[in-house]
């Protein structure tokens, strides 16, 4: 309707915020409201932005609760990888690339460091397994 000023309703604002949060493309939201995408962005900018932020915050809150409850090891591992920089593999770097330049003493230090890291990883895995076992409800 050209020439008629568009006035969004509160129901349309709620709908846009929800659809935006669900990740529905703006063009599809505009089609749903039977308006042009440009009109959508002009009149619903706040709802488009807030919908995405609110949805992300809600999912982050849910993931955080799952990760910290002790009942969802996968969520905790994901959180540590995404937020704390944990990795599946450890990277070991030795200074010189030519091993002929590395003294026996330096090689022994590197070997001991690797052994310590492996032992620490095994201890952490055992602790995690123990925590997981303790968190399981008793079998009936």
């Amino acid at each position: 309707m050209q020439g008629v000023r568009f006035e969004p309703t509160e129901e349309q604002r709620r709908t846009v915020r929800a659809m935006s949060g669900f990740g529905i493309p703006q063009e599809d939201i505009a089609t749903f409201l039977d308006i042009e995408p440009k009109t959508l962005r002009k009149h619903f900018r706040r709802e488009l932005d807030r919908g995405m932020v609110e949805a992300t915050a809600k999912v982050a809150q849910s993931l955080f609760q799952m990760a910290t409850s002790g009942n969802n090891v996968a969520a905790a591992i994901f959180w540590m990888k995404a937020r704390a920089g944990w990795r599946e593999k450890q990277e070991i770097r030795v200074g010189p690339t030519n091993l002929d330049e590395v003294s026996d003493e330096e090689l022994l230090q590197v070997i001991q460091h690797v052994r310590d890291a492996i032992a620490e990883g095994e201890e952490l895995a055992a602790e995690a397994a123990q925590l997981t076992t303790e968190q399981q409800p008793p079998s009936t």
Side-chain angles (χ1 to χ4, degrees):
M1 293 187 290
Q2 203 164 359
V4 177
R5 179 168 161 75
F6 179 79
E7 283 295 326
T9 66
E10 285 305 310
E11 181 180 349
Q12 288 172 325
R13 291 191 184 285
R14 284 191 299 276
T15 300
V16 169
R17 193 170 76 221
M19 293 176 85
S20 174
F22 298 148
I24 297 173
Q26 292 181 8
E27 291 74 19
D28 293 344
I29 298 172
T31 299
F32 181 81
L33 295 177
D34 199 26
I35 60 175
E36 293 295 319
K38 182 177 176 181
T39 304
L40 174 76
R41 288 187 286 277
K42 178 179 177 182
H43 292 280
F44 296 95
R45 179 79 269 154
R46 185 165 190 242
E47 289 77 14
L48 291 168
D49 294 341
R50 285 187 59 102
M52 290 185 292
V53 171
E54 288 172 359
T56 300
K58 191 169 186 174
V59 171
Q61 179 184 20
S62 176
L63 174 63
F64 181 78
Q65 288 172 343
M66 288 188 299
T68 58
S69 70
N71 295 325
N72 193 324
V73 175
I77 291 169
F78 174 79
W79 182 271
M80 293 307 292
K81 285 180 180 180
R83 299 294 301 252
W86 279 21
R87 303 180 82 188
E88 294 286 332
K89 298 178 182 178
Q90 291 186 350
E91 190 173 303
I92 301 170
R93 295 183 187 189
V94 178
T97 55
N98 185 352
L99 292 180
D100 292 335
E101 298 174 11
V102 179
S103 71
D104 289 348
E105 177 70 27
E106 291 172 316
L107 282 175
L108 289 173
Q109 287 176 351
V110 169
I111 291 168
Q112 188 57 49
H113 178 73
V114 170
R115 285 181 179 158
D116 292 345
I118 290 170
E120 183 180 335
E122 289 172 349
E123 288 174 21
L124 288 173
E127 288 176 24
Q130 181 65 31
L131 286 172
T132 302
T133 303
E134 291 172 0
Q135 295 293 325
Q136 296 297 321
S139 311
T140 54

